[in-house]
Amino acid sequence: MADEKKSKELKLADPLEASIDPATQQMIKRAQELGVETVFDRAQNMKPCNIGVQGTCCKNCAMGPCRLPLPKGGIEGEDTRKGLCGATANTIAARNFSRMVAGGAAAHSDHGRGVAEVFLSVARKETDAYHIKDYHKLLSIAPHFGVDITVTVDGEVKDRDMDEIALEVAEKAMNEWGKSDGECLYLQRAPEAMYNRWKELGVLPRNVDREIVEIMHRTHIGVDQDYKNLIKQATRAALADGWVGSMIATDLQDVMFGTPNPVQSEVNLGVMKADHVNLIVHGHEPILSEMIVAACQSKEMIDYAATKGAKGIQLSGICCTANELAQRHGVPIVGNFLQQELAIITGACDAMVVDVQCIFQNLANVAKCFHTKLITTHPIARMEQNNVLHIEFDEHHAMDDAKRIVKLAIDNFENRKSEVMIPSQKENQVVGFGVESIEYNLGGTFRGSYYTLNDNIINGRIRGIAGVVGCNNARTKHNNDHIAVIKELIKNDVIVLTTGCSAIAAGMAGLLTPECASVYCGPGLAEVCETVGIPPVLHMGSCVDNSRILLAATEVVKAGGLGKSIKDIPVAGSAPEWMSEKAISIGHYFVVSGVYTVFGVTLPVDGAPVFRDHLYNELEDLYGGMWDCEPDPIKHAHKMIAHIDKKRKELGIDKARDRVLMDMAARQAIDV
Ligand code: XCC
Ligand code: SF4
């Protein structure tokens, strides 16, 4: 522990200022007592670079880095700032922004490709670890790939062989990453008006990989020097993320692991159990963690755990892997992005298994202070520290790999050294609202449809829909902005769809239960939630599952009465505590899908006001959606509500809401 005790020289975070969550506060304090440094402390000791934060530092060639901060007091007259090559602040900020989109789209899409590859080996019957679990979903997506689900034999239409359908879907899906002509097939799932607009503007992605590569080419020194043209390419790549790479990931995961249905689960550090083997999966891909779920449930492993004196195996998750397992199996969620180190600091984490994305390299340093085995599993994501084990996971011997990992955790149970301290806090939550289950919940078996939702939007009980998603960021108080934004929205009758770490934050604050509706919602939304029995905040899964939000919005358009495109419906998006490049890609595909999208913290565009204006204003004329940034969570929510009201007015349904509210007031007056 000696090397790790350097935190004495560091300024320490104030736990009460660092998070709104008592369990997190308690564990930050615990870490400080033990002399184990965490991200919360590091944030006190390193300030963000004030030029990078403006988006105007260019290091795209070795004549730089060229730094173009905005002068204090802004710029009057001509903006003469330029890099050595002459690149303007707009060009530099737009290049940086586009590269963030490329990074984010690459991460989601590569995940999607991995899922498609596993699905291909299922379809080819090369693996017996994975199967098709949801044939209905397979049949529902096949036509979007242009795959027939029926055959005509002697003039008679018959169901086509499932194996044939699966194989053709798998091949067509794989092709979306690298085909040589045409455009991505899934784009036609978007509302027709929106698809046509994309076509008109020339932004339909051709294939996923190409759009990402083209960003890297265009942002190389001396290529694209027009911020509008750069953003056009960022748009292609972002659409390739949301409507293609991420959407295929979601769909094929549903086909193999099951389409989520609402399920009860628990969330927060208190889900760990002192007398159990605690195995934590962290990262993004359910490919590995699905196998670990199965291994943990096997009699062989449970019996083995008993021989080591453990009462059982407690599997839990962090980040989006957690969301994937929670929505399909009810596996408890230990925490979100900023809690990853804290889970080890409990002293009760026997093994943490990671795959890709959002994994702190510092986990290895923290693990060194405890008995925890930290295991990397993906060939593209390894760690340099020597205490990290690497067990490469392969779908062809998936179950063996999973059992090996679970066994390592069990064997490590008896090695716990320091005193175990698991916070008591945990909340109940209902997770797993897919597009399909929302339809079912709103309409029941016979009238499953989005009409009910539209009716309630039109009659004003529900004011609008918000997607609140994204990460935590150590530059803001952990979970504070997620919860403040969400509470303000539901108080104002806006129903919230959530994914990622935001969804986990909502769960920790008790907002993912139907019962919370009567406590936190405005009267209209509370009434709907109580009637239907749903929470006012719907957990829709992981970050690739933001594609579910796009499709839910599409269903709303299709159900009628609220316009022809997503840009017409009263909807707004938000990422109050974003930090990752993936969030920028997600934000951008929401914007160009017609959604007004507000980010918290900061956006790296302030150093280039003309470029910023393009994102914040000009994009609205092109796509109907636009970017915004508002760090104050209450103002943030009210900007979204103002946009929702603007859309209600454009649809001519603003008066309906006045009436509903008047009815409520009148009713209350009578009650008194
Ligand atoms: Fe990562 Fe998806 Fe962000 Fe959470 S929300 S910090 S990206 S795990 Ni997507
Ligand atoms: Fe500077 Fe231009 Fe090189 Fe960027 S590309 S570092 S602005 S010279």
Side-chain angles (χ1 to χ4, degrees), residues 236-536:
R236 278 204 193 95
L239 289 174
D241 175 355
W243 289 90
V244 189
S246 287
M247 201 173 276
I248 295 177
T250 296
D251 281 347
L252 295 181
Q253 285 170 182
D254 284 357
V255 170
M256 289 190 285
F257 310 132
T259 303
N261 265 310
V263 53
Q264 282 251 354
S265 151
E266 290 180 330
V267 56
N268 211 344
L269 290 155
V271 304
M272 294 175 74
K273 292 181 179 162
D275 53 6
H276 280 54
V277 173
N278 287 292
L279 171 58
I280 297 179
V281 286
H282 172 21
H284 279 78
E285 301 188 344
I287 297 290
L288 157 79
S289 47
E290 279 283 333
M291 272 309 116
I292 292 187
V293 174
C296 286
Q297 289 167 348
S298 72
K299 184 163 183 316
E300 179 193 351
M301 287 298 136
I302 296 169
D303 290 348
Y304 187 61
T307 67
K308 301 288 168 176
K311 285 238 170 79
I313 308 167
Q314 176 70 341
L315 177 68
S316 58
I318 294 179
C319 281
C320 283
T321 284
N323 287 319
E324 298 282 6
L325 295 187
Q327 70 181 344
R328 295 198 179 87
H329 304 282
V331 168
I333 298 177
V334 133
N336 53 8
F337 179 65
L338 283 182
Q339 291 170 292
Q340 53 186 289
E341 292 163 308
L342 307 180
I344 298 180
I345 292 165
T346 59
C349 175
D350 302 305
M352 187 181 282
V353 191
V354 303
D355 52 41
V356 291
Q357 301 166 25
C358 302
I359 293 137
F360 285 177
Q361 187 169 354
N362 199 59
L363 285 181
N365 303 331
V366 176
K368 252 182 220 171
C369 306
F370 299 87
H371 76 302
T372 307
K373 296 254 189 266
L374 182 62
I375 305 163
T376 54
T377 54
H378 209 295
I380 70 164
R382 299 189 65 156
M383 288 188 191
E384 69 184 45
Q385 288 96 324
N386 59 13
N387 60 323
V388 181
L389 291 165
H390 186 73
I391 299 180
E392 206 150 296
F393 185 77
D394 182 319
E395 74 256 27
H396 297 101
H397 34 80
M399 198 54 185
D400 295 340
D401 294 339
K403 281 192 177 158
R404 204 172 138 207
I405 290 168
V406 175
K407 191 165 174 292
L408 257 166
I410 296 171
D411 285 333
N412 203 26
F413 177 71
E414 49 194 16
N415 297 331
R416 288 189 193 171
K417 358 181 197 183
S418 53
E419 205 189 310
V420 166
M421 188 205 247
I422 300 173
S424 60
Q425 287 85 358
K426 57 179 174 179
E427 280 292 333
N428 287 320
Q429 56 177 0
V430 181
V431 303
F433 288 88
V435 178
E436 299 84 351
S437 62
I438 291 180
E439 185 172 1
Y440 172 78
N441 274 272
L442 288 171
T445 333
F446 301 109
R447 196 177 167 253
S449 85
Y450 280 71
Y451 293 112
T452 322
L453 177 59
N454 286 29
D455 281 351
N456 280 304
I457 294 174
I458 293 166
N459 69 27
R461 277 193 195 89
I462 296 178
R463 190 170 190 161
I465 307 168
V468 183
V469 307
C471 326
N472 294 135
N473 185 317
R475 302 300 179 190
T476 61
K477 193 177 200 167
H478 170 241
N479 286 1
N480 182 68
D481 300 356
H482 286 302
I483 300 313
V485 168
I486 293 175
K487 281 189 176 166
E488 195 61 22
L489 289 168
I490 59 178
K491 187 172 115 190
N492 285 282
D493 294 316
V494 176
I495 192 168
V496 173
L497 312 179
T498 182
T499 62
C501 289
S502 187
I504 301 175
M508 288 164 64
L511 298 175
L512 299 183
T513 62
E515 302 78 59
C516 84
S518 60
V519 184
Y520 297 109
C521 295
L525 180 59
E527 193 188 330
V528 174
C529 290
E530 277 156 29
T531 314
V532 186
I534 54 167

Side-chain angles (χ1 to χ4, degrees), residues 57-339:
C57 170
C58 179
K59 51 182 179 57
N60 292 12
C61 89
M63 299 197 289
C66 296
R67 293 164 302 163
L68 275 60
L70 196 66
K72 282 207 178 74
I75 290 171
E76 271 173 48
E78 201 188 336
D79 185 353
T80 54
R81 293 176 297 160
K82 41 176 117 61
L84 260 62
C85 66
T88 63
N90 294 327
T91 298
I92 291 173
R95 285 199 299 220
N96 289 338
F97 192 87
S98 302
R99 282 195 172 199
M100 291 184 89
V101 171
H108 286 143
S109 301
D110 221 25
H111 167 167
R113 184 204 320 267
V115 174
E117 281 170 348
V118 173
F119 184 64
L120 183 62
S121 43
V122 170
R124 287 182 177 157
K125 304 196 184 297
E126 292 169 356
T127 168
D128 48 14
Y130 301 94
H131 307 275
I132 296 173
K133 200 165 182 182
D134 190 342
Y135 282 99
H136 184 75
K137 181 99 184 195
L138 176 62
L139 291 178
S140 78
I141 63 170
H144 300 300
F145 286 108
V147 174
D148 291 331
I149 56 172
T150 53
V151 279
T152 312
V153 185
D154 301 332
E156 201 187 325
V157 180
K158 288 187 171 161
D159 289 345
R160 189 175 171 202
D161 178 66
M162 242 353 146
D163 290 347
E164 267 179 49
I165 296 173
L167 190 60
E168 201 183 331
V169 164
E171 283 165 353
K172 287 266 173 66
M174 283 302 302
N175 209 23
E176 290 298 281
W177 274 265
K179 62 188 178 188
S180 57
D181 50 21
E183 70 201 30
C184 294
L185 299 169
Y186 261 26
L187 300 164
Q188 300 217 21
R189 298 180 72 171
E192 199 185 339
M194 197 159 88
Y195 173 85
N196 289 338
R197 186 68 182 139
W198 291 335
K199 192 167 187 175
E200 210 171 69
L201 292 168
V203 294
L204 293 172
R206 295 154 290 186
N207 71 54
V208 176
D209 287 351
R210 178 170 186 175
E211 304 310 351
I212 295 165
V213 168
E214 194 170 308
I215 287 182
M216 299 315 284
H217 178 189
R218 285 199 194 194
T219 55
H220 185 277
I221 181 180
V223 187
D224 204 348
Q225 348 231 13
D226 172 6
Y227 63 92
K228 291 185 188 174
N229 206 39
L230 280 159
I231 289 308
K232 192 171 157 185
Q233 180 55 24
T235 298
R236 278 204 193 95
L239 289 174
D241 175 355
W243 289 90
V244 189
S246 287
M247 201 173 276
I248 295 177
T250 296
D251 281 347
L252 295 181
Q253 285 170 182
D254 284 357
V255 170
M256 289 190 285
F257 310 132
T259 303
N261 265 310
V263 53
Q264 282 251 354
S265 151
E266 290 180 330
V267 56
N268 211 344
L269 290 155
V271 304
M272 294 175 74
K273 292 181 179 162
D275 53 6
H276 280 54
V277 173
N278 287 292
L279 171 58
I280 297 179
V281 286
H282 172 21
H284 279 78
E285 301 188 344
I287 297 290
L288 157 79
S289 47
E290 279 283 333
M291 272 309 116
I292 292 187
V293 174
C296 286
Q297 289 167 348
S298 72
K299 184 163 183 316
E300 179 193 351
M301 287 298 136
I302 296 169
D303 290 348
Y304 187 61
T307 67
K308 301 288 168 176
K311 285 238 170 79
I313 308 167
Q314 176 70 341
L315 177 68
S316 58
I318 294 179
C319 281
C320 283
T321 284
N323 287 319
E324 298 282 6
L325 295 187
Q327 70 181 344
R328 295 198 179 87
H329 304 282
V331 168
I333 298 177
V334 133
N336 53 8
F337 179 65
L338 283 182
Q339 291 170 292

